[in-house]
Amino acid sequence: MKASLKKKLFREFAKRENFEGLSNVNMKYFYNAKKYIRKRYNVTDRYFSFLLWCYDLEFFSIQHAVEEFHTFPTDVEMKFLYPMINEGLLKKFADRKELIKDYRYRMVEGKEYFQRNKYCITNKGFRIIEEFIKISNTGVTNNGVDIIRDYKTGEYVA
């Protein structure tokens, strides 16, 4: 097997293909959109920032998150991954134990501890970030509610 193919098979993370990330987004109403999303979906600031980081990635391992956030593996697991999996914002992309059962995988690489567990963002988390992007660009939610303007008084909040 070629070395480049092996690197792709056992990589720590992967960016989404043909996907425009957060770099091309105009964040005009960033603060108001963040406040609205956190209140509506009951997402803490820590989880929201982790979702923004996960948005561009197809999958990632704990080791990659440790390298990006400059922290310890137990901190990433206990403070981010497992609580967010329980809330339904993240899920396992590939489990090491399930990959071991695959015959083709065992032929390619016999070591069972070479592959790490990989995680990805769920549809719920993806929709939260998509709505955040729309609100931060326009100030209007998916339902057509203007978050900048207070409808009771008719005045602008921001």
Side-chain angles (χ1 to χ4, degrees), residues 30-83:
F30 177 81
Y31 177 75
N32 295 334
K34 183 177 175 182
K35 188 171 147 185
Y36 175 80
I37 292 292
R38 286 180 56 209
K39 186 176 180 182
R40 179 165 185 226
Y41 291 105
N42 197 16
V43 177
T44 63
D45 195 23
R46 177 184 291 173
Y47 296 167
F48 185 72
S49 63
F50 197 79
L51 279 177
L52 284 174
W53 177 76
C54 295
Y55 180 73
D56 294 338
L57 301 174
E58 186 176 342
F59 62 84
F60 64 94
S61 67
I62 293 174
Q63 188 61 35
H64 179 65
V66 166
E67 291 169 4
E68 289 286 321
F69 285 99
H70 306 291
T71 185
F72 298 106
T74 54
D75 289 345
V76 171
E77 288 179 31
M78 299 300 173
K79 293 180 181 177
F80 294 113
L81 287 179
Y82 298 138

Side-chain angles (χ1 to χ4, degrees), residues 22-33:
L22 292 173
S23 59
N24 297 332
V25 177
N26 177 16
M27 299 283 184
K28 185 174 181 182
Y29 302 109
F30 177 81
Y31 177 75
N32 295 334

Side-chain angles (χ1 to χ4, degrees), residues 26-149:
N26 177 16
M27 299 283 184
K28 185 174 181 182
Y29 302 109
F30 177 81
Y31 177 75
N32 295 334
K34 183 177 175 182
K35 188 171 147 185
Y36 175 80
I37 292 292
R38 286 180 56 209
K39 186 176 180 182
R40 179 165 185 226
Y41 291 105
N42 197 16
V43 177
T44 63
D45 195 23
R46 177 184 291 173
Y47 296 167
F48 185 72
S49 63
F50 197 79
L51 279 177
L52 284 174
W53 177 76
C54 295
Y55 180 73
D56 294 338
L57 301 174
E58 186 176 342
F59 62 84
F60 64 94
S61 67
I62 293 174
Q63 188 61 35
H64 179 65
V66 166
E67 291 169 4
E68 289 286 321
F69 285 99
H70 306 291
T71 185
F72 298 106
T74 54
D75 289 345
V76 171
E77 288 179 31
M78 299 300 173
K79 293 180 181 177
F80 294 113
L81 287 179
Y82 298 138
M84 291 177 75
I85 287 172
N86 289 339
E87 288 186 19
L89 300 173
L90 293 178
K91 67 178 180 180
K92 278 191 178 181
F93 182 78
D95 194 359
R96 178 178 59 207
K97 293 177 183 174
E98 291 176 8
L99 288 173
I100 300 291
K101 295 174 186 174
D102 188 15
Y103 180 70
R104 288 177 286 176
Y105 175 78
R106 283 184 286 161
M107 285 180 60
V108 172
E109 191 63 42
K111 298 177 185 177
E112 92 179 55
Y113 294 106
F114 191 78
Q115 183 75 18
R116 292 191 173 107
N117 291 340
K118 294 184 172 73
Y119 301 91
C120 66
I121 191 169
T122 60
N123 288 337
K124 178 182 176 183
F126 201 77
R127 279 186 278 120
I128 289 173
I129 300 301
E130 287 287 326
E131 187 172 359
F132 166 74
I133 289 171
K134 182 173 190 244
I135 294 170
S136 62
N137 286 336
T138 61
V140 178
T141 64
N142 290 338
N143 299 333
V145 178
D146 190 359
I147 64 165
I148 308 302
R149 192 172 198 174

